[in-house]
Amino acid sequence: MSPRSCRCQTVLLPVRDYDLDATMDSGQVFHFAAVGGGWEGVVGRDWVRLGKEREAISVSFVARDAPERSQLLERVARFLQTNVDLSRIVATFPNDGVMERAVQVCRGLRLLKQEPWQCLASFILSSTKQILQIRQICAVLSERHGPAVDAESVVARWHGFPSAEQIARLDEKDLRACKAGFRAPYLLGAARLVAEGKLDLGGLDEVPIAEARSRMMEVRGVGRKIADCALLFTGSHAGAFPVDVWVARALRELYFRGREMPLRELEHFASEHFGPHGGYAQQYLFHYVRVHGLKPQAARRTSTRPP
DNA sequence: GGCCAGGCTATGG
DNA sequence: CCATAGCATGGC
């Protein structure tokens, strides 16, 4: 049938200072696909297409009755955090030249609020993987083992991300077949802990960050960095500050003149320097160095490399 | 074809 | 305590 006769409805979510592309493409979420200038993916159990509008984000979805529609829109707004006043967060960033440039360059970059299990699982799969490959693994995992959802996409059939229960029923070799590699047993172990109720991801925002971290790090395959990603990108702890290879490089080059620094010291510096929304600042640093490199003031080591 | 990727665990000093 | 090999897989 013709894809133009659409069962879709579209609603506008008003928002200012929101760069949807940067946000979706900044390595915090791996389950949306760029389609025709917008983004398609699954929120909860519902397929959505997100589009950029003036002072708004358009949300398209398969038509349904009024109560379900308002529930869906509430979930999408919560996921996108459209109610967050970005300027209030940016105002808490440290008053240094590095963050001023990062804010200029990444204007409108946001943090999303993702579902805890999906977020943790994705970052377990992220270790020593490029962002493109993380997306691929998540896509295969969803296609093969996640719930099919009703979608009006013209480019793909969509599935949700498999629940902890669904993954817990699988075998390690099923996960290796999805390109999970050596992370397969880690993901399986995490899924079993969550499915058996031995790890309550929903309660982690109610305990101090140190406690939340150590609970998560009891999962094999989850260290400090992945724990902080899961705490930050689910909106549980605004002070979580994941230090990966990019952020470590950025901190060394931009704050320590390129000097070698132990990871622990970088993490400690970050927790002191970037304020109550350190995690947000971290995302600006990450995106800044990934998109623009470290050239502006720290080109010493790379100056022989062609631009 | 070599290097590196939003790391972590185990092992050896 | 700190340092590093090993781990799967694929993009560039």
Side-chain angles (χ1 to χ4, degrees), chain A residues 27 130-131 220 282-283:
Chain A
Q130 298 183 122
I131 288 173
R220 258 178 54 95
Q282 175 275 156
Q283 194 64 10

Coordinates of all heavy atoms in Angstrom, one line a residue, chain A residues 27 130-131 220 282-283, chain B residues 5-10:
Chain A
G27 N 26.6 10.4 20.9 CA 27.1 9.2 21.6 C 26.5 8.9 22.9 O 27.0 8.1 23.7
Q130 N 33.4 1.6 18.4 CA 33.1 2.9 17.8 C 31.6 3.1 17.9 O 30.8 2.1 17.8 CB 33.5 3.0 16.4 CG 35.0 2.9 16.2 CD 35.5 3.1 14.8 OE1 36.3 4.0 14.4 NE2 34.9 2.3 13.9
I131 N 31.1 4.4 17.9 CA 29.7 4.7 18.1 C 28.9 4.0 17.0 O 27.8 3.4 17.2 CB 29.5 6.2 18.1 CG1 30.0 6.7 19.4 CG2 28.0 6.5 17.9 CD1 30.0 8.3 19.5
R220 N 29.5 -7.7 36.5 CA 30.8 -7.9 35.7 C 30.7 -7.2 34.4 O 29.7 -7.4 33.7 CB 31.0 -9.4 35.6 CG 32.1 -10.0 36.5 CD 32.2 -11.5 36.3 NE 32.5 -11.8 34.9 CZ 33.8 -12.0 34.5 NH1 34.8 -11.8 35.3 NH2 34.0 -12.3 33.2
Q282 N 30.4 17.5 30.8 CA 31.1 16.4 30.1 C 30.6 16.2 28.7 O 31.4 15.9 27.8 CB 31.0 15.2 31.0 CG 31.6 13.9 30.5 CD 30.7 13.2 29.5 OE1 31.2 12.4 28.7 NE2 29.4 13.4 29.6
Q283 N 29.3 16.2 28.5 CA 28.8 15.9 27.2 C 29.1 17.0 26.2 O 29.4 16.7 25.1 CB 27.2 15.8 27.3 CG 26.6 15.2 26.1 CD 27.0 13.7 25.8 OE1 27.7 13.1 26.7 NE2 26.7 13.2 24.7
Chain B
dA5 P 40.9 5.6 20.1 OP1 40.9 7.1 20.1 OP2 41.5 4.9 21.1 O5' 39.3 5.2 20.0 C5' 38.5 5.6 19.0 C4' 37.4 4.7 18.7 O4' 37.9 3.4 18.4 C3' 36.4 4.4 19.9 O3' 35.1 4.3 19.4 C2' 36.9 3.1 20.5 C1' 37.3 2.4 19.2 N9 38.2 1.3 19.3 C8 39.4 1.3 19.9 N7 40.1 0.2 19.8 C5 39.3 -0.7 19.1 C6 39.4 -2.0 18.6 N6 40.5 -2.8 18.9 N1 38.4 -2.5 17.9 C2 37.3 -1.7 17.7 N3 37.1 -0.5 18.0 C4 38.1 0.0 18.7
dG6 P 34.1 5.7 19.5 OP1 32.8 5.2 18.9 OP2 34.8 6.8 18.9 O5' 33.7 6.0 21.0 C5' 33.3 4.9 21.9 C4' 33.7 5.3 23.3 O4' 33.2 6.6 23.6 C3' 33.1 4.3 24.4 O3' 34.1 4.2 25.4 C2' 31.9 5.0 24.8 C1' 32.4 6.5 24.8 N9 31.3 7.4 24.7 C8 30.3 7.4 23.7 N7 29.4 8.4 23.9 C5 29.9 9.1 25.0 C6 29.4 10.2 25.6 O6 28.4 10.9 25.3 N1 30.2 10.6 26.7 C2 31.4 9.9 27.1 N2 32.0 10.4 28.2 N3 31.8 8.8 26.5 C4 31.1 8.5 25.5
dG7 P 35.5 3.3 25.2 OP1 36.7 4.0 25.5 OP2 35.3 2.6 23.9 O5' 35.2 2.2 26.3 C5' 35.6 2.6 27.7 C4' 35.1 1.4 28.5 O4' 35.6 0.2 28.0 C3' 35.5 1.5 30.0 O3' 34.5 0.9 30.8 C2' 36.8 0.7 30.0 C1' 36.6 -0.3 28.9 N9 37.8 -0.6 28.1 C8 38.8 0.3 27.7 N7 39.7 -0.3 27.0 C5 39.4 -1.6 26.9 C6 40.0 -2.7 26.3 O6 41.1 -2.7 25.6 N1 39.3 -3.9 26.5 C2 38.1 -4.0 27.2 N2 37.6 -5.2 27.3 N3 37.5 -3.0 27.8 C4 38.2 -1.8 27.6
dC8 P 34.7 0.7 32.3 OP1 33.4 0.9 33.0 OP2 35.9 1.5 32.7 O5' 35.1 -0.8 32.5 C5' 34.2 -1.8 32.0 C4' 34.8 -3.2 32.2 O4' 35.9 -3.4 31.3 C3' 35.3 -3.4 33.6 O3' 34.7 -4.6 34.1 C2' 36.8 -3.6 33.4 C1' 37.0 -4.0 31.9 N1 38.2 -3.5 31.3 C2 39.1 -4.4 30.7 O2 38.8 -5.6 30.6 N3 40.2 -3.9 30.1 C4 40.5 -2.6 30.1 N4 41.6 -2.2 29.5 C5 39.6 -1.7 30.7 C6 38.5 -2.2 31.3
dT9 P 35.1 -5.0 35.6 OP1 33.9 -5.5 36.2 OP2 35.9 -4.0 36.3 O5' 36.0 -6.3 35.3 C5' 35.6 -7.3 34.4 C4' 36.7 -8.3 34.3 O4' 37.8 -7.8 33.5 C3' 37.3 -8.8 35.6 O3' 37.4 -10.2 35.6 C2' 38.7 -8.1 35.6 C1' 39.1 -8.0 34.2 N1 40.0 -6.9 33.8 C2 41.1 -7.1 33.0 O2 41.3 -8.2 32.5 N3 41.8 -6.0 32.7 C4 41.6 -4.7 33.2 O4 42.3 -3.8 32.9 C5 40.5 -4.5 34.0 C7 40.1 -3.2 34.6 C6 39.7 -5.6 34.3
dA10 P 37.9 -11.0 36.8 OP1 37.1 -12.2 36.9 OP2 37.9 -10.1 38.0 O5' 39.4 -11.4 36.5 C5' 39.7 -11.9 35.2 C4' 41.1 -12.1 35.0 O4' 41.8 -10.9 34.7 C3' 41.9 -12.7 36.2 O3' 42.8 -13.7 35.7 C2' 42.6 -11.5 36.8 C1' 42.9 -10.6 35.5 N9 42.9 -9.2 35.8 C8 42.1 -8.5 36.6 N7 42.3 -7.2 36.6 C5 43.4 -7.0 35.7 C6 44.1 -5.9 35.3 N6 43.9 -4.7 35.7 N1 45.1 -6.1 34.4 C2 45.4 -7.4 34.0 N3 44.8 -8.5 34.4 C4 43.8 -8.3 35.2

